[in-house]
Amino acid sequence: MSKPTARARLAQAAFVLFDERGYEQTTVDDIAERAGVGRTTFFRHYRSKEDVIFPDHDRLLRLIRDRLSATSNSTALVAVSDAVRLVLLHYIDEGDLARRRYALTSKVSALRDREIVSVARYQRLFREFISDWMGDPTESASLRAELMAASVVAAHNHVLRRWLRGESPDPIAEMDEAMREVLALFPGPRSRPRVADGGTTVAVFRTGEDLDALLPALRRLIGGEPER
């Protein structure tokens, strides 16, 4: 079995100390000493003791951004589902470390606040992507994009928390099902009909009016002619 990396030893040492002494009472020097490394080595891997607790959100956000950018308009929702699954798989791969983090952040308010900030970064990324996909600059569309992004993040967090509490035997299947429900709520992107120069526009509707009486009004609407 390969020897754990310094980064892994630091994380392990930190969580052991947090359990023994409490989060507030544990210092960076304590963590480095317990891991058998120097203070300089600690800061080579982490910026603070808070960073030991949380996953590498910057890297995860880059992975999400890369997945979302590698898509077309027609496969945008598939990319959203894939991106959410990437984050869930990261936590699952962490195993017990993710569960210990969950227990710790549930008890320390400062860590909960930081987690909320991190969640907001994911939601903003999804909102920007969904807004571009919708292609609608109106305020109502902006609200829909915000609501959609919030629902994507909420679905992920719901399944993740169930797995962290040991309530989900198959979190990947649950995540896929949750995303199917979320994406079913999404409207399609804004339609942008195009009419070629010199082409013919066809309007289909039902009315009791005589066609000859309607044609002048239709020509004004299509051609932008002023009322006479």
Side-chain angles (χ1 to χ4, degrees), residues 81-97:
S81 292
D82 287 350
V84 171
R85 195 180 298 111
L86 281 172
V87 181
L88 181 64
L89 285 171
H90 175 86
Y91 283 96
I92 292 173
D93 288 343
E94 285 187 322
D96 183 60
L97 179 62

Side-chain angles (χ1 to χ4, degrees), residues 4-12 44-46 51-52 54-56:
T5 64
R7 182 180 179 88
R9 295 202 310 274
L10 284 164
Q12 179 65 24
R44 190 178 301 130
H45 294 282
Y46 299 104
D51 282 343
V52 182
F54 293 100
D56 189 349

Side-chain angles (χ1 to χ4, degrees), residues 35-77:
V37 300
R39 182 181 176 88
T40 301
T41 300
F42 177 94
F43 286 110
R44 190 178 301 130
H45 294 282
Y46 299 104
R47 291 171 294 185
S48 66
K49 69 177 183 179
E50 290 85 357
D51 282 343
V52 182
I53 299 167
F54 293 100
D56 189 349
H57 287 301
D58 288 339
R59 186 178 71 84
L60 284 172
L61 287 164
R62 285 195 300 272
L63 289 174
I64 291 175
R65 192 175 288 108
D66 290 345
R67 177 62 188 94
L68 294 178
S69 64
T71 188
S72 64
N73 203 52
S74 61
T75 60
L77 298 187

Side-chain angles (χ1 to χ4, degrees), residues 82-210:
D82 287 350
V84 171
R85 195 180 298 111
L86 281 172
V87 181
L88 181 64
L89 285 171
H90 175 86
Y91 283 96
I92 292 173
D93 288 343
E94 285 187 322
D96 183 60
L97 179 62
R99 292 192 168 96
R100 295 173 75 176
R101 180 191 302 118
Y102 178 66
L104 184 62
T105 55
S106 298
K107 294 184 293 186
V108 182
S109 59
L111 298 180
R112 285 199 302 274
D113 292 343
R114 174 160 174 170
E115 187 73 3
I116 290 170
V117 171
S118 297
V119 169
R121 295 176 67 193
Y122 289 91
Q123 184 167 322
R124 181 169 62 249
L125 179 57
F126 281 115
R127 183 197 68 221
E128 292 170 351
F129 173 77
I130 292 168
S131 181
D132 289 343
W133 169 70
M134 291 175 64
D136 187 340
T138 63
E139 181 58 33
S140 61
S142 177
L143 174 60
R144 287 198 302 275
E146 189 74 69
L147 293 172
M148 291 177 205
S151 67
V152 167
V153 172
H156 170 270
N157 290 345
H158 174 80
V159 174
L160 175 61
R161 283 192 295 267
R162 278 179 44 78
W163 175 76
L164 290 169
R165 294 192 296 259
E167 299 169 357
S168 174
D170 191 348
I172 300 300
E174 281 196 25
M175 188 73 259
D176 290 343
E177 177 58 31
M179 287 305 298
R180 278 192 290 270
E181 292 194 24
V182 168
L183 298 182
L185 304 174
F186 282 28
R190 185 184 184 190
S191 176
R192 295 186 180 88
R194 297 180 179 178
V195 179
D197 292 341
T200 301
T201 301
V202 179
V204 180
F205 56 90
R206 184 182 300 275
T207 178
E209 295 290 335
D210 182 80

